[in-house]
Amino acid sequence: MKVALFIPCYVNALYPEVGEASYRLLRSLGVDVDYPLEQTCCGQPMANAGYEADAKPLAKKMERLFAGYDYVVGPSASCVSFVREGYPRLTHHDDDKECLASHIYEICEFIHDVVRPTKLDARFPHKVSLHNSCHGVRLMGLSAPSEMNIPYYSKLRNLLSLVEGVEVVEPERKDECCGFGGLFSIEESAVSKRMAHDKVARHVATGAEYITGADSSCLMNMQGIIENEGLAIRTKHIIEILTAKE
């Protein structure tokens, strides 16, 4: 199994520790993982803003760079879902072996569904509140959407159960948006800020020490509220907990 690690722009620039933890976790699970050094943006910001013509060269570069790998894995449900949903259209490939969309996975999805570990060498003796990001829930299937009449499940919670000492809780309205939404947080900043405030308040109400989730963008948005309001809670990407040694 030949696996490539895809690190999104904002993780590379703002949260490199998440990229490093992703690499360490995959290696610790026996995955033969490579990190192609020429990778750049997947094109999501341009395409979401309506500039798909500017996203096409990036999409084609991504497909060339990651050709030949059995799986491509990235710590971002947002970016991975864009590749899955958008690349067949942008690169004019059907969803077959030639298209990156057919074999790209969000890292928690990949570990849960493909690697399937029964234990992790990790310890994190803290209470954490689980944040379900919109793309992760509704496009990646990382947990069951509350609006669907199906039994509840959470792949993130399942993975956290393999970490020694961690206590996992979930807030009221557990899959409600945190208000980030990429450009939405800029174009509708007042609404976004209110949504983030309400979401953080629900996480705080659980009594957790940390908010954790699979998208650094959501965690970054909530961390802004935490710092502005001086709240006694912190954010931490789930991959950092899955590799913690406390």
Side-chain angles (χ1 to χ4, degrees):
M1 184 168 62
K2 194 176 179 183
V3 177
L5 182 59
F6 159 52
I7 299 298
C9 306
Y10 65 92
V11 174
N12 181 60
L14 300 174
Y15 300 100
E17 64 274 12
V18 174
E20 294 169 1
S22 298
Y23 183 82
R24 290 198 311 272
L25 180 57
L26 291 169
R27 288 295 300 270
S28 72
L29 293 171
V31 176
D32 180 14
V33 59
D34 186 24
Y35 178 71
L37 294 176
E38 296 179 10
Q39 60 183 281
T40 57
C41 179
C42 66
Q44 180 184 196
M46 290 74 88
N48 285 356
Y51 297 96
E52 285 202 343
D54 294 320
K56 286 183 180 180
L58 294 171
K60 290 179 179 179
K61 178 178 180 178
M62 283 274 288
E63 293 213 326
R64 290 194 303 269
L65 187 63
F66 289 107
Y69 290 99
D70 299 310
Y71 297 95
V72 177
V73 178
S76 167
S78 173
C79 295
V80 169
S81 64
F82 170 69
V83 173
R84 279 192 185 169
E85 299 286 322
Y87 274 30
R89 180 180 70 256
L90 290 175
T91 63
H92 304 294
H93 281 143
D94 293 326
D95 195 9
D96 57 22
K97 291 182 180 180
E98 292 185 10
C99 187
L100 181 56
S102 68
H103 55 279
I104 191 168
Y105 284 72
E106 189 276 329
I107 189 169
C108 292
E109 174 193 32
F110 176 75
I111 292 171
H112 187 278
D113 294 355
V114 179
V115 181
R116 298 182 181 180
T118 57
K119 63 179 181 178
L120 293 173
D121 182 20
R123 185 174 187 273
F124 193 72
H126 300 281
K127 186 176 184 179
V128 302
S129 185
L130 185 57
H131 178 71
N132 296 296
S133 62
C134 298
H135 284 90
V137 174
R138 294 173 177 86
L139 293 179
M140 294 282 97
L142 296 182
S143 64
S146 57
E147 67 270 14
M148 300 289 288
N149 187 25
I150 59 176
Y152 181 68
Y153 68 88
S154 172
K155 296 178 182 180
L156 303 185
R157 189 161 193 149
N158 291 345
L159 291 178
L160 287 169
S161 72
L162 304 178
V163 177
E164 181 185 350
V166 71
E167 179 186 354
V168 182
V169 294
E170 294 185 73
E172 182 188 11
R173 302 184 185 181
K174 55 194 167 193
D175 62 356
E176 185 175 75
C177 180
C178 72
F180 179 63
L183 289 174
F184 172 79
S185 64
I186 298 172
E187 296 171 345
E188 299 289 348
S189 59
V191 178
S192 172
K193 185 177 180 180
R194 184 67 207 190
M195 292 173 70
H197 169 86
D198 291 349
K199 188 69 181 184
V200 170
R202 293 188 180 100
H203 282 297
V204 170
T206 67
E209 301 167 71
Y210 292 89
I211 302 171
T212 193
D215 274 279
S216 293
S217 53
C218 298
L219 298 176
M220 175 178 64
N221 190 46
M222 291 185 286
Q223 186 65 40
I225 295 294
I226 291 168
E227 292 179 4
N228 287 338
E229 299 184 7
L231 302 175
I233 196 169
R234 288 172 284 177
T235 59
K236 199 172 190 68
H237 196 282
I238 187 172
I239 298 301
E240 294 182 277
I241 296 177
L242 300 179
T243 55
K245 305 291 185 183
E246 293 191 17

